Structure formats: C-alpha cells, structure tokens
Amino acid sequence: MCGIVGYIGHRNASLVVLSSLKRLEYRGYDSAGIVVNCDGNLLSWKKAGKISALESIVDCHSLNEARVAIGHTRWATHGAPTDENAHPHSDCTGELYIIHNGIIENYKDLKEVLLKRGHTFKSETDTEVVVHLVEEYHKELPLLDAVLHALSHVEGSYAIVLMSKKEPERLIAARKGSPMILGIGDGEMVIASDASAIVDYTRNVVYLEDGEIIEVKRDGYKVYDHKKNGIAKNISLIDWDIESISKHGFDHFMLKEIFEQPDTIQNAFRGRVIYDEARVKLDGLKLQDEDIEKIERIIFIACGTSWHAALVAEYLLEEYARIPVEVEYASEFRYRKPVLKKGDLVITISQSGETADTLAALREAKSKGVRVLGITNVVGSTIARESDGGVYIYAGPEIGVASTKAFTSQITVIVLLTLFFARRKEMSFVEGKVILDDLLRLPDLAKRVLDKNEEIKTIARVYCESRNFLYLGRGLNFPVALEGALKLKEISYIHAEGYPAAEMKHGPIALIDANMPVVFIATKDEIYSKVISNMEEVRARSGRIIAIATEGDLTIHNYADHVIYIPETHKALVPILSVIPLQLLSYHIAVLRGCNVDQPRNLAKSVTVE
C-alpha cells in the first residue's frame, strides 16, 4: 500500500527512483510523483495514473547530473486520486518536499492551526500538513531537528522521507507504524518502503523501528530516537535477488506464483521434518515442552487470505492436537476488549509481516503479557521482529496482489505446526508418519494439479461472463471455499461468496438458478456424502456445478457439469491441493475479462494502514 523511494548517491537519481517505483507497482497505487535536486533546484512532477504516465512528463536525460531524488506511489486515503493529491507535497516556499505512507489522524486540527498561521494548502491530503509543520520549524532549525519537533505533534502512522533545498546533500526519514528500510550501497543509499525497490543496488539493509528517525548522506547514515539519542543498528542481508521478482516468461506474476507452488511448498517444510521420529522441528517458535504443556488455548489473528489459512489451523489443531483454537480478524481483535489469560498463545499470520491491523493486534496481545508467535514470509519484517518467536514460510517475494503461493505455504507451515504440537500430545508415531509421507509427496502432487491448467482455462471460458458465484465446502474445505471466492472477487470483480455447504439451505439457496455457477470442493472424506446431498439440491434448482474432486471418483460426474480432479492425499493436506484449481480458475476468468490481474483496482499488496 503506497510506495516510497529515496536516493542519494552517484547515479542519475531520477532514473533510480523511477525504476525503483516500478518495482513497487505491485503494492497497489493510483498516482505517482517524483522530486529531484538538480543543480540546487528542486524540480517536481506528479501524475494520477500509472508510473508510465509520470515517466512521459519527466525528462530524465536532462537530469543526468541530479544525484538526490525522492519518489512515491500513492494509494488514495484522504482525497481523490488526482494530480494535486499525488505525492510529493511541498511547503509554501517550494523548498521542502515530503513523501508519506500512512494516515495522520489529527491532520484536521493541525491544518486549522497552520491555516491561521498563513500556510496555503494545495491538496486534500493529510500528508501535506506534515510538510507545512516541518516548514514552521525549519525556518530556524536544521532539517533533522525540524522533523523531530514536527513529529512530536503528529498522531497516526507514517513512513516519511523529506528533502530540503537548504540541505541538499541529505535526506531525512522516519517511521511509525509503516515499514521503512535503508539500503546501504557503495557510495549510495536507497530508502524504501519495500526491499524490492532496493535489491537492484544493494542487499545490505537496515530496518527502521517505530519511533526512529534517520539522517542519510551518500557516504553514511545516523539513526536517532525521538529525543535525538543515537541508536546503533545492525546491518541485515536480503536473502533473495532481483531474479526472484521477474516474470520469467509468464504473462503475469500471479500465474508465475501459482506455478511456483511445488517449489514453495517444499521450501516451507525443507529442513523441518524429522522423518524417522515422525516429528518436525520449529526452533523459531522458541517453545520448550514445559511451555507447550501450559498452553490452554491458541488464538490466531490475521486478515484476508491469511485469515483463511488460520481457519484451516483451527480445524487441524483441534482435531489432531486437541487444543482449543479461536480465529480472530485482526481488525476487530483489539477494539473489542479481548479476554486473554495466562494459558493463551497468540499466533499472528501475515504474508508481508507489516499488516497494520495484525501488527496492532500483536502489540495488544503482548501488552497483556501473552506469548505471541508470528507466521510470516518476509524476513526482518516488523511482525517477525516483534514476535516472541515464529516461523518463516519461505515462499519468496510474492508480487501478485492476490496471494497464492503464500497461502499454500502458510497451510504447509500450519500442518508442521499441528504435527509439532500433536506429536507432543495425542498423535501416535504411526499417524504422524502417514501425514509426513504424504507431505513429502505434496510438491509432486501439486505439479499434477498444475498440469490441468488448460482444462481449467476451458472451464473459465464457459463462466467468464457470469456475474455471481457460490463456493461451497465442508470441514477443512470450507476455508478453501472462502479463499476461492476471495480470489475471484479480487481479480475478476465478479461477486462471489463462500459458505459451508450445509449453510446453503439457510439463505444462499434462494440465489440459485440456471445463471448461478456453484463451485463445490467435494473431495473424498468422511462427509463426502453430505456434500453430494448439497450438490443434489443445487442441481434440483438448475444451478451449474463445478466440482473439485478426488482422482478416481467417477460418480461425481452424475452431479457436476464440470469436474477438476486433484490427487488423493491425507485429508490434512487436501486444502493445499484443492485451492490450486480455484486459483487458476480465478486467474483465467480475470484474464478473459480483460482485468489487470497483478494490480486489481482498489487493492494493495500490503495493507499498512488501518
């Protein structure tokens, strides 16, 4: 959600910033802008729409000597996506510029004060208030001190970068609630909201923590707290390169990431299976046997696709580890005065590790003295750093806004987590071995599902003009139904809903007619016959049925118009395979409808504001 880039070094700064902004396009945005220090003058361009529109009005060749620049991609919160509301924003003099991710909650009060002091505003944004506030202090103070004084009045979340004509050889950046990273190169520095904007230039990075402010020059940097006390920071290494965020011949990042799942599933369990003991090792959890014995309840906290993964965890942990589990929306958790007690364990799930609501819920739980673990994909992310322990899913960078490989990797880790607890409680060696046998086969089984891509594309052609879909499943496949519906909504803009199949009779059945496609996850398990009964009810009302079924199930053709088979596997692993056809179905429908698959409207990859 929004993208920040700041550069100071020896290259053409305008080219660096525009190129890096393109690396951030996947985060979701509706306008873009850049300001460049060229021969002591600050030159700014900004434009609603795509970065290509911005590039068309910036003559980078004439800026060949420019060595300092900042740029931004905006996802509108306050004010429509217009040229005027795009970042960067300047002060009254045009000598001070800011870019900002986050939300300034008290901007109206601050704006009223600044207007009385004679400041003129050009936009509807909350961000512009901050640059005028800094302007007030920068009249008398150096930029660093001016920013520190200004931020002491600001309430809300922010990641900001400022540049000043008065101090052309430095950038000032600060964060509170929104991610910020400094890339340390050879005679150059890159500030960004996301590592993907940095890896072209360096893999050495410093992660800023909440409340920290950084002064950046081309040959060094200094980090301070809000009282201007110096802070020593460790330099971390980004463990992936630019090739990881290339399409490699696929038409879209989403399709590439769907096809990466055999590898990413394997990455999630590689090195974590102790096969001869039918156990797993998850050292990052930092849980001893005595800690596990004290756990009376596990609470999962997540948003969106990660919340669906948490629902799978509820089914698995309660059945196999016999631990009570609750699943909470992060956005609701901290506002409903949750009851947390000594025997509780909180586990957050977030692909980015920066999801604002999930991070706030994590902090709420920690403030009540509860142990908090994190399941995340991004090494060094805020949730990873602030959790008491956790597990990385190792899915690699996920560029497509609609999460695919992260979901299956999250469930793979959840299976490991289930085994971790269950084998210390009630699960036998034999049962653990059976699950691990199928887990080790899972990458090959996922490849067999992906081989059905053309078959699924053919089905997509039949239904790409549909206006509504229902997705139905029971047990472990109910969260998969929710995820399938979410994928279709996200990228094709077709209205879709997921339900437990038995709930259809409690309302949704009224929607079913000849124009309503219904997707059933109808794999062979102990409640298969119940799902077949639900399919009969849809057929009786002329509904069109697409079934995800287990290989070898020939009777399913008696009930479904279309059948997509997945290989047989242990029921705990079925959601990992059954969701892949739904990902492909959504993808092909969206492409056939001419939708922007990787950057769907109104959505951002990482929701870093409330």
Side-chain angles (χ1 to χ4, degrees):
M1 181 173 286
C2 300
I4 278 179
V5 180
Y7 177 82
I8 183 166
H10 53 79
R11 307 175 197 256
N12 181 328
S14 62
L15 288 173
V16 171
V17 169
L18 286 170
S19 174
S20 296
L21 287 178
K22 288 179 182 177
R23 298 288 185 200
L24 299 178
E25 282 191 294
Y26 76 97
R27 293 172 63 93
Y29 72 104
D30 43 50
S31 59
I34 184 173
V35 59
V36 180
N37 187 323
C38 186
D39 295 326
N41 296 310
L42 301 187
L43 306 177
S44 176
W45 299 265
K46 49 188 188 174
K47 193 75 174 170
K50 295 299 182 183
I51 292 171
S52 56
L54 176 65
E55 282 184 303
S56 69
I57 60 174
V58 179
D59 182 3
C60 292
H61 296 293
S62 68
L63 302 170
N64 193 49
E65 300 304 314
R67 297 293 177 259
V68 185
I70 59 176
H72 188 267
T73 53
R74 176 178 185 251
W75 191 86
T77 55
H78 297 77
T82 62
D83 293 355
E84 292 78 14
N85 290 331
H87 299 209
H89 292 291
S90 70
D91 68 347
C92 294
T93 67
E95 296 185 351
L96 181 66
Y97 279 85
I98 190 172
I99 51 179
H100 165 233
N101 290 353
I103 291 177
I104 308 303
E105 294 174 358
N106 63 333
Y107 84 100
K108 290 182 178 179
D109 294 336
L110 294 174
K111 187 172 184 177
E112 187 175 333
V113 171
L114 290 163
L115 285 168
K116 290 177 180 177
R117 294 183 181 179
H119 288 262
T120 301
F121 289 80
K122 306 181 187 73
S123 78
E124 304 168 89
T125 68
D126 54 333
T127 299
E128 193 180 357
V129 168
V130 182
V131 73
H132 286 280
L133 197 57
V134 174
E135 177 189 6
E136 280 289 303
Y137 291 106
H138 196 33
K139 293 172 183 175
E140 305 292 337
L141 297 173
L143 183 58
L144 175 65
D145 296 285
V147 174
L148 281 167
H149 279 76
L151 292 180
S152 69
H153 300 286
V154 169
E155 298 172 8
S157 63
Y158 54 78
I160 58 172
V161 183
L162 294 105
M163 64 188 301
S164 169
K165 185 176 180 179
K166 295 179 182 178
E167 300 180 32
E169 292 300 313
R170 75 189 69 215
L171 298 172
I172 303 296
R175 72 156 284 183
K176 179 187 175 185
S178 290
M180 179 76 77
I181 309 169
L182 173 68
I184 304 166
D186 184 8
E188 59 185 345
M189 302 283 177
V190 186
I191 306 168
S193 51
D194 189 308
S196 59
I198 291 174
V199 290
D200 267 338
Y201 308 101
T202 181
R203 293 171 65 187
N204 296 313
V205 298
V206 166
Y207 295 97
L208 288 192
E209 304 289 348
D210 272 3
E212 292 181 346
I213 187 167
I214 186 168
E215 183 178 36
V216 182
K217 302 179 183 179
R218 71 181 63 196
D219 57 355
Y221 65 94
K222 292 181 180 178
V223 182
Y224 305 93
D225 65 15
H226 68 284
K227 294 182 179 179
K228 205 180 176 182
N229 298 311
I231 299 172
K233 302 289 289 186
N234 294 323
I235 296 176
S236 302
L237 183 69
I238 298 173
D239 62 355
W240 48 271
D241 56 29
I242 204 67
E243 286 299 306
S244 302
I245 52 175
S246 300
K247 290 181 183 175
H248 291 295
F250 286 91
D251 290 337
H252 299 92
F253 281 110
M254 182 180 178
L255 187 61
K256 176 201 170 198
E257 288 157 7
I258 291 171
F259 272 83
E260 285 178 338
Q261 288 175 113
D263 293 328
T264 54
I265 290 166
Q266 188 166 53
N267 290 343
F269 68 71
R270 180 184 282 119
R272 291 168 166 169
V273 172
I274 308 173
Y275 182 75
D276 291 341
E277 299 177 17
R279 293 179 180 271
V280 299
K281 59 176 182 178
L282 297 172
D283 296 338
L285 296 179
K286 301 177 184 178
L287 289 174
Q288 305 302 319
D289 287 345
E290 55 268 28
D291 299 320
I292 296 170
E293 288 299 320
K294 296 174 183 176
I295 296 172
E296 298 175 2
R297 178 178 65 157
I298 298 176
I299 302 164
F300 281 88
I301 299 173
C303 302
T305 286
S306 296
W307 188 80
H308 298 157
L311 287 178
V312 175
E314 181 178 21
Y315 281 95
L316 291 179
L317 282 163
E318 290 197 341
E319 177 168 354
Y320 295 106
R322 307 307 297 162
I323 301 173
V325 174
E326 294 182 14
V327 179
E328 299 270 3
Y329 282 113
S331 55
E332 294 293 322
F333 178 77
R334 69 182 176 127
Y335 291 112
R336 64 170 189 79
K337 298 181 181 178
V339 177
L340 296 173
K341 51 191 179 182
K342 190 176 181 181
D344 290 339
L345 173 67
V346 168
I347 301 178
T348 63
I349 308 179
S350 166
Q351 187 281 138
S352 68
E354 302 290 351
T355 309
D357 288 321
T358 307
L359 181 57
L362 179 155
R363 290 168 176 165
E364 174 72 14
K366 289 192 73 172
S367 73
K368 296 184 182 300
V370 175
R371 186 192 292 264
V372 180
L373 305 179
I375 297 175
T376 187
N377 189 33
V378 180
V379 176
S381 59
T382 305
I383 287 175
R385 296 196 306 274
E386 294 194 14
S387 297
D388 297 311
V391 188
Y392 287 117
I393 65 173
Y394 294 127
E398 189 177 61
I399 304 302
V401 167
S403 183
T404 52
K405 64 177 181 174
F407 179 70
T408 51
S409 292
Q410 286 169 349
I411 298 178
T412 303
V413 163
I414 284 165
V415 171
L416 296 177
L417 192 70
T418 300
L419 285 164
F420 178 84
F421 286 116
R423 285 288 288 122
R424 286 165 171 79
K425 290 183 174 290
E426 298 189 5
M427 182 181 285
S428 69
F429 171 88
V430 173
E431 188 171 14
K433 199 74 170 290
V434 168
I435 295 175
L436 285 179
D437 280 336
D438 278 7
L439 178 66
L440 296 177
R441 295 173 54 237
L442 206 57
D444 289 333
L445 300 184
K447 288 178 184 176
R448 285 167 54 184
V449 179
L450 291 168
D451 287 342
K452 301 182 183 297
N453 181 46
E454 289 301 318
E455 174 187 332
I456 295 167
K457 187 175 182 179
T458 299
I459 297 172
R461 290 193 183 100
V462 178
Y463 297 103
C464 64
E465 298 300 324
S466 298
R467 300 181 64 181
N468 300 282
F469 266 76
L470 277 179
Y471 286 72
L472 302 173
R474 299 189 73 157
L476 279 165
N477 283 320
F478 162 52
V480 176
L482 291 175
E483 177 62 13
L486 177 62
K487 284 294 150 288
L488 191 68
K489 282 184 280 195
E490 285 180 314
I491 62 171
S492 74
Y493 318 138
I494 294 172
H495 173 251
E497 297 294 338
Y499 286 94
E503 288 299 303
M504 179 182 61
K505 294 189 292 291
H506 296 275
I509 198 168
L511 299 172
I512 293 173
D513 59 21
N515 298 313
M516 172 67 80
V518 183
V519 179
F520 277 91
I521 301 97
T523 52
K524 278 292 185 84
D525 56 25
E526 62 269 22
I527 51 176
Y528 172 77
S529 62
K530 302 293 185 183
V531 176
I532 292 296
S533 295
N534 298 139
M535 293 172 72
E536 292 264 35
E537 291 162 351
V538 171
R539 281 175 56 81
R541 290 156 181 83
S542 303
R544 305 290 301 281
I545 295 177
I546 303 167
I548 310 300
T550 306
E551 285 181 353
D553 178 8
L554 300 181
T555 61
I556 196 77
H557 288 281
N558 296 327
Y559 310 99
D561 298 280
H562 311 273
V563 179
I564 305 168
Y565 285 112
I566 63 171
E568 186 175 3
T569 189
H570 191 282
K571 72 172 187 177
L573 306 174
V574 166
I576 300 172
L577 297 181
S578 62
V579 77
I580 296 174
L582 306 186
Q583 295 170 347
L584 287 169
L585 182 66
S586 297
Y587 170 80
H588 288 302
I589 287 175
V591 170
L592 290 165
R593 290 169 66 91
C595 300
N596 187 338
V597 173
D598 286 333
Q599 297 170 37
R601 68 189 183 200
N602 303 332
L603 294 179
K605 181 62 181 173
S606 177
V607 183
T608 56
V609 297
E610 287 193 71

